[in-house]
Amino acid sequence: MKKLINSVENVLSESLDGFAAAHADIVVLGDERKFVRRRTLKPGKVALVSGGGSGHEPLHAGFVGTGMLDAACPGQVFTSPTPDQMVAAVEAVDTGAGALFIVKNYEGDVMNFEMAAEMAGREVLTVVTDDDVAVEKSTWSTGRRGVAGTLVVEKVVGAAAEQDRPLADLQALGRDVNARTRSMGVALTSCTVPAAGNPTFTLAEDEMEMGVGIHGEPGRRRVRLATADAIAEEMLGAILGDLSPPAGSQCLLLVNGFGGTPSMELYLMVNAARKILAGRGLTVSRHLTGSLVTSLEMAGCSITVTILDDATRTLWDAPVHTAALRW
Amino acid sequence: MKKLINSVENVLSESLDGFAAAHADIVVLGDERKFVRRRTLKPGKVALVSGGGSGHEPLHAGFVGTGMLDAACPGQVFTSPTPDQMVAAVEAVDTGAGALFIVKNYEGDVMNFEMAAEMAGREVLTVVTDDDVAVEKSTWSTGRRGVAGTLVVEKVVGAAAEQDRPLADLQALGRDVNARTRSMGVALTSCTVPAAGNPTFTLAEDEMEMGVGIHGEPGRRRVRLATADAIAEEMLGAILGDLSPPAGSQCLLLVNGFGGTPSMELYLMVNAARKILAGRGLTVSRHLTGSLVTSLEMAGCSITVTILDDATRTLWDAPVHTAALRW
């Protein structure tokens, strides 16, 4: 296992310390590193809290800040955080307007956030994201997995929360954005969980995993490496087949690297995806490209499409100031 | 070779098309894809032009925009752009105040930018960056290599150019920032140049290349993989030994991923570097962390330290609006 680490036990804590120090203008690390919270809270605003297993950075801690999350709870690598983390986070960031949990659809996360919502003794609602069209059920999930589309939900709902909209409205908005959003991924190589020490799966030199999950879970099929155009065609075919957007729709195109993919390849995939979307009569009116919802050092990418209306687009465009997203 | 591409011949052009489409609010792609230029020029401002071989993205095209570069000329992967590219770029972005070339110290780049300066028929000055302390001479360079510190020069000089400072002042500033800046890198894996099809070098499962260059050039020595703390200690030892900053100095710490390194490891390296710098009596007053000056999908990182004074820090903090850096 080749990693820039000191010891398997301290990967998460040392990384969180570095993150909190590097972005001390934006975030504060909670006691016992239970959560990363926004440094400056906005009284009266609903608190947005997310979290999940680590190894997907910058999701979620990199999205804590003005216009997005108020707190993120980091679990061990690919392991759900515990309910006491979410409870501590809510106590730290809820200014009285209640809290909204944004939770990726994995059994451990859903269960732990549910327990935390009960334990918190405050008004808490939840949005579960399940944007991955690759499979209906996976190793760690019942129903579709929550993947890169979670970022879109966090950004749009984060902008709405900044306008002091009430909790129930934000939950409805989050569910709506999730319903407008679909993703699918492909892996060219595996990742290695530090505590495991070996690759999660193996692929031959000419193979790829089409429909892979962000923990390296199996996808639809293991096939021979195809061209970027063919990969984009299959991913967008599945995404658009499920979304069924009316021709003429506007969309957000998120091409997301899994951690080991050069920027050059991500933009090449943007180009491939744009041609296909144009051929289907869709207009890409907003772009986001980068390694934002990752699987450690996995090579590969996912494509996410969100169908935009004027309101969603305006919220997407609203200012955001976090470690990983700023505009 | 596992890459998200359609054909080796079209990697660069398809990637540039995707980049230009995704960031059409900020950049325009020049004719025949000779350069990427800022969409909105500022009349009377010195034009900042950089470029170099592709494969280091987001350097340089990702740094084109307000507060940083006016144009970037992309060569083929790890191959200098040609003089006609720089000439076309200068013609497109020089509004009359002259142009400053920012050039990484590699023989091909230095020669081609020099020819372009002669051919341009305009007032052109040059800053050559050579921040890599690993080796004095490398495969492609005479003298030290220009690596991630180039970003710092581009950011600081870009901010000063935005204040309409004259060309000669900007050249002097660029040279000063370069002189305050040192870097060193380590590779855990090689990268693969698409046209070559095979890894540039090979490392055993327990080896790393200490002092690697951003084209995979040999560094100081190939040794057994060490801890993050030991790696940071060796890199900062070389950097600070060369910089000799007075105790109490303030610095910018740039931890840069080479393309295949997870965010989690980069922030762990930030933590390691901060401890060492504090032990040397240096204050890290500014941070930048990310995969910003890359070597395709190489795993590993570099550390860059720039000694800051008030003027440099103020220019670093000035607003920047590019595809890859925004604040």
Side-chain angles (χ1 to χ4, degrees), chain B residues 12-304:
Chain B
L12 181 57
S13 59
E14 293 178 18
S15 181
L16 284 169
D17 288 353
F19 176 83
H23 301 289
D25 53 330
I26 300 174
V27 300
V28 179
L29 189 56
D31 281 346
E32 301 172 43
R33 303 186 185 89
K34 283 184 179 173
F35 56 86
V36 172
R37 58 160 273 204
R38 195 166 144 171
R39 176 169 286 279
T40 311
L41 300 176
K42 183 169 186 254
K45 181 185 108 52
V46 169
L48 259 54
V49 177
S50 190
S54 294
H56 306 302
E57 290 72 26
L59 183 86
H60 298 273
F63 304 145
V64 170
T66 308
M68 217 160 161
L69 298 176
D70 292 277
C73 302
Q76 289 295 321
V77 173
F78 294 176
T79 302
S80 173
T82 52
D84 67 303
Q85 293 183 255
M86 294 75 138
V87 171
V90 169
E91 282 171 2
V93 298
D94 177 13
T95 61
L100 184 70
F101 286 167
I102 300 178
V103 185
K104 301 192 297 302
N105 187 35
Y106 299 98
E107 285 165 13
D109 291 286
V110 170
M111 187 181 71
N112 287 334
F113 273 96
E114 213 165 80
M115 283 181 60
E118 286 168 18
M119 291 158 62
R122 290 158 188 265
E123 202 184 2
V124 177
L125 294 179
T126 297
V127 172
V128 176
T129 61
D130 60 350
D131 52 307
D132 189 342
V133 297
V135 291
E136 285 298 327
K137 185 175 174 6
S138 183
T139 322
W140 297 353
S141 68
T142 302
R144 289 180 169 179
R145 302 174 292 216
V147 291
T150 309
L151 178 165
V152 184
V153 174
E154 292 177 355
K155 170 66 185 82
V156 172
V157 177
E162 215 68 45
Q163 300 171 345
D164 294 338
R165 295 202 204 167
L167 180 57
D169 285 15
L170 297 177
Q171 182 191 45
L173 176 65
R175 288 175 172 171
D176 177 57
V177 175
N178 180 62
R180 294 164 174 276
T181 300
R182 297 290 189 284
S183 304
M184 187 161 148
V186 63
L188 305 190
T189 66
S190 177
C191 51
T192 295
V193 175
N198 291 303
T200 305
F201 59 99
T202 49
L203 286 170
E205 190 44 45
D206 63 346
E207 276 182 336
M208 62 178 181
E209 180 75 31
M210 181 58 78
V212 71
I214 57 171
H215 309 91
E217 306 100 302
R220 292 188 165 191
R221 52 205 186 91
R222 186 163 296 188
V223 288
R224 232 184 128 180
L225 186 61
T227 63
D229 284 344
I231 291 169
E233 186 71 48
E234 178 163 352
M235 295 203 283
L236 285 169
I239 288 168
L240 299 178
D242 206 75
L243 267 181
S244 304
S249 295
Q250 292 203 0
C251 68
L252 160 71
L253 171 63
L254 162 57
V255 174
N256 171 60
F258 282 142
T261 312
S263 170
M264 178 176 266
E265 295 177 35
L266 296 182
Y267 282 110
L268 194 146
M269 289 297 293
V270 169
N271 190 54
R274 282 177 59 87
K275 285 185 291 185
I276 295 163
L277 291 167
R280 304 284 190 108
L282 298 175
T283 303
V284 181
S285 54
R286 292 297 181 272
H287 279 275
L288 184 63
T289 312
S291 293
L292 296 160
V293 179
T294 63
S295 306
L296 297 166
E297 72 281 10
M298 191 157 88
C301 75
S302 60
I303 295 180
T304 297

Side-chain angles (χ1 to χ4, degrees), chain A residues 258-318:
Chain A
F258 281 142
T261 312
S263 170
M264 178 177 265
E265 295 178 34
L266 296 182
Y267 282 110
L268 194 147
M269 289 298 293
V270 169
N271 190 54
R274 282 177 58 88
K275 285 186 291 185
I276 295 163
L277 291 167
R280 303 282 189 109
L282 297 175
T283 303
V284 180
S285 53
R286 293 297 180 272
H287 278 276
L288 184 64
T289 312
S291 292
L292 295 160
V293 179
T294 62
S295 306
L296 297 166
E297 72 282 9
M298 192 158 87
C301 75
S302 61
I303 295 181
T304 297
V305 174
T306 300
I307 302 302
L308 296 174
D309 57 12
D310 289 349
T312 325
R313 195 180 56 246
T314 302
L315 291 167
W316 177 260
D317 288 345

